[in-house]
Amino acid sequence: MSINTLAHVFTPHGNIVYTANDFRQTVRIAVAGTIALSISTFYDVQYGVFFVVYPLMLMSLVPMFNLHVARQFIFSAAVNCVEMVLIVGYLSQWPVIMTLVVFALYVMRFRFMSQGPLFLLGSMGVVCQSTMLNFMSYPTSNWHTLMFSNMEACVMAVALSALLHYLIPDVEPRKPPPRIEKDAARIRHESLLSGTVATIIFVVFQICDLSDSLSALMAGILILFPMHYRGAVISSIWRVVGVVLACLYILVVQLIIYDFSNHMILMMPLIGLGLAFSARLHVMEKVGAGVGFASITTIGIMFGQNLHPYQDLVFSDLYRITSVTVSLVVTLTLVFLMHRLLNCFAATRFVVSD
């Protein structure tokens, strides 16, 4: 589906449905990402990736705005900050206990996602938890700056979403997505599978020095969002395609304005164009975290980490593509093993039917 959409995205008269609401969501995503990146670049914030990725995630995954969405988003970030201080500050001297607590939090959040009504609370919590645990594991990280950056980025994301939905409203009311009925065994299967694999990823990133592999970390976490094996396989293919597209575009942008990348007036239109293309692909796919979403988040992560012209751009892009691919292969292997293990028990059995 997404690969076919990728072909149609270049042609305005394809068979893919692209409504007026879709166009407005595309504009909101591109404008929000450009504004967020401009703010983080202008103020040279230390954790600019938060300020860029959070608005893009909120605008992409939730095409509407209301108080319920805002409460879930901000509450999740606030709770995460408290949890991270307690986990890293007090439990880091007991690695086994710390890992068990992280596992319990992951399972709880994936359970929220599996049940549906609190999907945003769970998904935002998973992303926050994974990112902050990774940053806080390095002694050079300033916890106070990290916490405040996380909260400020969440508030800014909600404010941008509210503002852009007010300035660029939908043409017609959106219908809520159909709710998927799940039995208790499936919910347990999805929660335990995703929580276990996410915890293993956490352990790997704690043991290994992977401070420059945020894209790989997020790739492994985001393909768990379908919360079952078949969905993870499809999501990983979409993720690779989206990352490759974004990396190629970023490389072209950097090469075009190589010596002038510190000039925001030159950079931002090109970044906005890339976000607009990715956002258009995302809303045309209508599959949630597909190729377009992968491209959007990759652009946000890479530019949010403030790439500079003196870096080896070819190596930087190839490193991210390679690290993401390795991360996806390892994550899929773990998902498959957990899927087979959980299906050995009736209480956690879930077989995807055609």
Side-chain angles (χ1 to χ4, degrees):
M1 171 64 183
S2 290
I3 305 302
N4 292 333
T5 307
L6 183 62
H8 285 296
V9 79
F10 294 100
T11 59
H13 303 293
N15 296 324
I16 303 297
V17 176
Y18 188 71
T19 65
N21 277 1
D22 293 336
F23 172 73
R24 288 169 178 258
Q25 185 184 359
T26 300
V27 175
R28 288 195 295 264
I29 293 172
V31 172
T34 305
I35 293 175
L37 186 58
S38 300
I39 293 174
S40 66
T41 303
F42 182 79
Y43 288 103
D44 193 24
V45 294
Q46 184 176 354
Y47 297 100
V49 66
F50 288 146
F51 290 85
V52 180
V53 172
Y54 284 178
L56 292 175
M57 280 191 60
L58 180 58
M59 297 283 196
S60 301
L61 296 179
V62 186
M64 62 184 70
F65 180 82
N66 52 45
L67 289 178
H68 182 61
V69 170
R71 282 194 294 264
Q72 286 192 62
F73 203 80
I74 294 178
F75 180 75
S76 176
V79 171
N80 260 278
C81 288
V82 176
E83 290 172 349
M84 294 307 104
V85 170
L86 295 176
I87 291 174
V88 181
Y90 293 97
L91 298 180
S92 57
Q93 54 186 325
W94 299 294
V96 176
I97 298 177
M98 177 180 175
T99 303
L100 291 175
V101 172
V102 169
F103 169 72
L105 291 174
Y106 271 132
V107 171
M108 177 187 70
R109 291 191 163 100
F110 278 112
R111 186 175 181 84
F112 287 156
M113 294 171 63
S114 181
Q115 291 174 331
L118 298 177
F119 180 88
L120 182 61
L121 178 67
S123 60
M124 182 61 189
V126 168
V127 172
C128 276
Q129 179 176 329
S130 303
T131 307
M132 293 182 69
L133 282 173
N134 182 52
F135 281 138
M136 294 176 73
S137 64
Y138 295 96
T140 55
S141 297
N142 186 315
W143 289 14
H144 294 89
T145 304
L146 178 63
M147 298 296 174
F148 279 106
S149 295
N150 184 56
M151 285 305 304
E152 289 168 357
C154 284
V155 173
M156 188 186 76
V158 171
L160 276 176
S161 180
L163 176 63
L164 291 176
H165 276 88
Y166 174 76
L167 296 177
I168 314 173
D170 286 333
V171 175
E172 56 187 17
R174 291 180 181 266
K175 297 180 181 179
R179 185 171 180 177
I180 301 175
E181 296 296 332
K182 301 179 181 180
D183 56 27
R186 176 175 177 177
I187 293 176
R188 284 191 289 266
H189 178 99
E190 293 180 344
S191 305
L192 290 173
L193 182 148
S194 303
T196 303
V197 175
T199 304
I200 295 174
I201 294 174
F202 157 74
V203 172
V204 170
F205 273 79
Q206 292 294 303
I207 295 174
C208 304
D209 184 8
L210 300 171
S211 58
D212 194 34
S213 299
L214 183 60
S215 294
L217 170 65
M218 295 314 301
I221 293 297
L222 289 175
I223 69 165
L224 296 176
F225 276 24
M227 293 177 289
H228 56 82
Y229 174 63
R230 180 178 295 180
V233 172
I234 298 173
S235 181
S236 65
I237 297 173
W238 293 342
R239 190 79 200 169
V240 169
V241 175
V243 168
V244 170
L245 283 176
C247 286
L248 290 176
Y249 181 79
I250 290 168
L251 180 60
V252 171
V253 170
Q254 291 283 316
L255 291 176
I256 290 175
I257 55 174
Y258 187 76
D259 291 328
F260 303 97
S261 63
N262 58 331
H263 294 277
M264 292 176 58
I265 196 170
L266 298 177
M267 283 286 289
M268 293 310 160
L270 293 175
I271 295 173
L273 181 63
L275 288 174
F277 169 82
S278 302
R280 183 172 188 262
L281 176 58
H282 168 69
V283 298
M284 289 171 68
E285 290 175 302
K286 294 179 173 59
V287 293
V291 175
F293 182 73
S295 182
I296 290 170
T297 53
T298 300
I299 291 175
I301 290 173
M302 292 188 69
F303 279 115
Q305 288 180 302
N306 297 320
L307 290 178
H308 300 290
Y310 52 77
Q311 290 180 327
D312 186 342
L313 301 175
V314 176
F315 172 79
S316 182
D317 269 9
L318 290 178
Y319 172 75
R320 278 163 177 79
I321 294 173
T322 304
S323 64
V324 165
T325 303
V326 172
S327 174
L328 293 177
V329 171
V330 173
T331 303
L332 280 179
T333 303
L334 294 172
V335 169
F336 173 74
L337 294 176
M338 281 302 303
H339 172 75
R340 294 297 298 269
L341 177 62
L342 292 172
N343 276 352
C344 293
F345 307 96
T348 56
R349 184 172 296 133
F350 171 54
V351 179
V352 181
S353 58
D354 294 327

